């Protein structure tokens, strides 16, 4: 299977991710956990855990022994293991999860569905490892609309270089609208599917604090920034700053995500649901 184009942009040191999209992770994780209806005693799996933003909130609620996590990025798995001792963290992708059928009360994927190699197969795997009556939940950014930093970034990039349009995540991400996300959940055989907006925020010390992590090449936005020669990179930096209206002082940005939840309904043919 060919990896999704953006997936390789997460094989960076965890700190680069923490300073870019990771800033929004804790608040988004708390909203996702609430939407999934998790409660102490439940067992949860974090798929595409990254350095552990959602994993850490799951551990705070459920305890390390009730939480497992996977990600295909080795540096992120290493960071997650170091940060959260006692959690089983494996290098694995959503499409082939190393867990038994029905092993969890809830499987979650925060900001991952759009990076899966085969999203329908990945969501079917999340369903397979969740018990009957359990919940499969995910959050995706509203890349095309109100995920402020990424929307402004790609608007600035395309204004300066129309050929960047193909890399604009508002266009390239197949599941960044509620209808498509809901259909993905329903077509994986999940019941009572709901999709709702969640708005979170993150603070920056100043524009440099926002820009520097992009220079580390993390995520599709960072990978695009460092692909530019110095002059064009500086022009993008100026244009993004102008569009954000950001200066040298502190500011906050909001980011909207769509959260999908679905229940594992009638017993499925688990053998058929398993990947070949
Ligand atoms: C935007 S990051 C989100 C990380 C973390 N969930 C968070 O909220 O901070 C996307 C993550 O998806 C992971 N990923 C890429 N392809 C994947 C796949 N096929 N299955 C599971 N995770 C994948 C990446 O390695 C990366 O850690």
């Amino acid at each position: 299977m060919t990896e999704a184009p953006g997936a390789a942009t997460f094989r960076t040191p965890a700190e680069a991710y923490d300073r870019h999209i990771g800033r929004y992770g804790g608040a988004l994780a708390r909203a996702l956990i609430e939407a999934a209806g998790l409660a102490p005693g439940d067992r949860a799996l974090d798929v595409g855990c990254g350095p552990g933003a959602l994993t850490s909130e799951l551990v705070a609620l459920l305890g390390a022994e009730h939480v497992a996590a996977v990600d295909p990025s080795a540096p992120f798995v290493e960071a997650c293991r170091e940060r959260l001792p006692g959690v089983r963290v494996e290098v694995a992708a959503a499409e082939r999860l190393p867990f038994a059928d029905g092993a969890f009360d809830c499987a979650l994927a925060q900001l991952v569905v759009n990076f899966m190699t085969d999203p329908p197969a990945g969501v079917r795997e999340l369903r397979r490892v969740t018990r009957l009556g359990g919940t499969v939940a995910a959050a995706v950014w509203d890349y095309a609309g109100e995920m402020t930093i990424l929307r402004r970034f790609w608007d600035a990039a395309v204004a300066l270089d129309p050929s960047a349009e193909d890399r604009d995540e508002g266009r390239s991400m197949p599941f960044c609208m509620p209808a498509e996300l809901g259909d993905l959940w329903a077509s994986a055989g999940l019941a009572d599917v709901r999709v709702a907006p969640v708005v979170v925020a993150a603070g920056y010390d100043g524009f440099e604090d926002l820009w520097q992590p992009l220079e580390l090449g993390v995520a599709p936005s960072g990978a695009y920034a460092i692909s530019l020669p110095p002059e064009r990179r500086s022009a993008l930096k100026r244009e993004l700053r102008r569009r954000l209206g950001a200066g040298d002082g502190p500011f906050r940005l909001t980011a909207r995500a769509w959260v999908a939840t679905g229940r594992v309904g009638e017993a499925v043919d688990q053998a058929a649901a398993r990947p070949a």
Side-chain angles (χ1 to χ4, degrees):
M1 262 191 288
T2 316
E3 198 175 47
T9 65
F10 294 105
R11 299 218 178 83
T12 59
E15 292 67 30
Y17 181 78
D18 292 343
R19 293 178 55 208
H20 185 24
I21 301 303
R23 288 181 206 244
Y24 299 85
L28 185 59
R30 290 187 287 280
L32 179 58
I33 287 171
E34 192 182 336
L38 276 163
D42 286 342
R43 298 153 301 158
L45 173 65
D46 180 2
V47 175
C49 60
L54 171 60
T55 328
S56 133
E57 295 295 332
L58 290 169
V59 167
L61 179 69
L62 310 175
E65 67 285 6
H66 283 159
V67 178
V70 298
D71 197 288
S73 163
F76 283 4
V77 163
E78 200 179 313
C80 192
R81 277 187 189 139
E82 267 172 29
R83 290 173 185 187
L84 296 162
V87 176
R88 178 179 166 190
V89 190
E90 305 277 347
V91 175
E95 294 81 358
R96 190 176 281 269
L97 295 171
F99 301 99
D101 298 351
F104 300 94
D105 298 291
C106 184
L108 308 99
Q110 174 164 299
L111 308 177
V112 176
V113 168
N114 284 297
F115 296 103
M116 290 179 185
T117 307
D118 182 346
V123 180
R124 283 198 303 275
E125 269 291 87
L126 266 73
R127 186 197 64 184
R128 180 186 68 75
V129 301
T130 304
R131 69 160 170 83
L132 193 61
T135 300
V136 175
V140 299
W141 288 132
D142 176 17
Y143 294 103
E146 296 181 31
M147 193 316 173
T148 308
I149 178 176
L150 293 178
R151 191 62 262 134
R152 296 288 182 281
F153 177 89
W154 290 114
D155 287 346
V158 172
L160 298 176
D161 169 17
S163 74
E165 209 173 66
D166 292 351
R167 299 176 71 165
D168 174 350
E169 292 165 279
R171 289 171 172 266
S172 64
M173 295 305 191
F175 303 104
C176 63
M177 299 285 190
E180 284 77 2
L181 185 61
D183 286 350
L184 180 66
W185 249 233
S187 64
L190 293 159
D192 302 333
V193 173
R194 290 196 183 123
V195 180
V198 164
V199 178
V200 293
Y204 297 87
D205 295 341
F207 181 74
E208 279 302 320
D209 186 30
L210 179 148
W211 179 261
Q212 282 312 314
L214 288 160
E215 296 266 2
L216 302 172
V218 65
S221 44
Y224 175 74
I226 63 164
S227 75
L228 299 174
E231 265 178 34
R232 288 177 56 202
R233 201 186 296 185
S234 300
L236 175 59
K237 183 177 177 183
R238 283 192 301 277
E239 183 62 13
L240 176 59
R241 183 176 177 134
R242 188 186 73 73
R243 284 174 182 257
L244 286 167
D248 296 331
F251 60 92
R252 286 177 79 71
L253 296 179
T254 56
R256 182 165 72 178
W258 302 111
V259 168
T261 56
R263 190 175 49 80
V264 178
E266 74 285 354
V268 293
D269 180 348
Q270 299 286 11
R274 209 169 291 131

